[in-house]
Amino acid sequence: MMSSPILRHAALGVAPVYPPHSPVRQVLREWWPAAIGLVLLYGPSLFDLLSGIWSTDEQRHGPIVLAMALWLLYRNWAAMERAAMGQPSHAAGWPILLLGLLLYLVGRTAQILILQIGSVIWLLAALLLLARGLAACKVQWFCLFFILFMVHLPGAFLYNVPIPITRPPHCVASHALFLLL
């Protein structure tokens, strides 16, 4: 049975030690099982998005966000390798992996796009935790966060989240106007 270094090191609980600027072949040699698994898992979802919601005017940004997230992942790869060098893998990766798979399963069977695409964040975080440890997740945090914007977030979320941010300026402006009038 062939196994990649990522699976061997995750089972042992330690991250492999590689030089910070690993050649592309070394990275592909190590990450090919994860890459194929992600393509097989999310290929149908991405096809559904491309032929469905991403073809509408208000959601045409989705493929651009996907391309930018992949670019961010690539751009931060060397920094992630340097930060994770010699770091142990993190045991929290296994429950996060199960959570991501459960979110994907529910999202795919119920056709809830936010769960399908949101699950990729959990799966990528789990893979990074298992392969490179917490330091790798810290380096790639913005890439993982950026994936949220591939699909339109629910209106209730978009309405309620900015309220604590916008309330103080609103109060200051209303009091200033009250004093001026």
Side-chain angles (χ1 to χ4, degrees), residues 106-124:
V106 170
R108 189 74 183 149
T109 56
Q111 295 181 351
I112 303 172
L113 287 175
I114 194 73
L115 289 181
Q116 285 180 54
I117 300 305
S119 68
V120 77
I121 298 168
W122 296 101
L123 289 179
L124 288 175

Side-chain angles (χ1 to χ4, degrees), residues 50-133:
L50 283 168
S51 61
I53 194 169
W54 281 356
S55 63
T56 63
D57 285 337
E58 58 272 351
Q59 292 295 316
R60 286 187 200 246
H61 68 278
I64 297 168
V65 172
L66 174 63
M68 288 178 66
L70 292 173
W71 178 78
L72 285 169
L73 186 71
Y74 169 76
R75 188 188 76 167
N76 291 335
W77 196 267
M80 179 194 75
E81 290 285 347
R82 280 191 304 275
M85 193 174 295
Q87 296 289 320
S89 65
H90 203 281
W94 293 111
I96 291 173
L97 180 71
L98 291 175
L99 173 67
L101 290 172
L102 180 66
L103 286 173
Y104 178 80
L105 180 66
V106 170
R108 189 74 183 149
T109 56
Q111 295 181 351
I112 303 172
L113 287 175
I114 194 73
L115 289 181
Q116 285 180 54
I117 300 305
S119 68
V120 77
I121 298 168
W122 296 101
L123 289 179
L124 288 175
L127 289 172
L128 290 174
L129 282 170
L130 291 172
R132 297 291 189 264

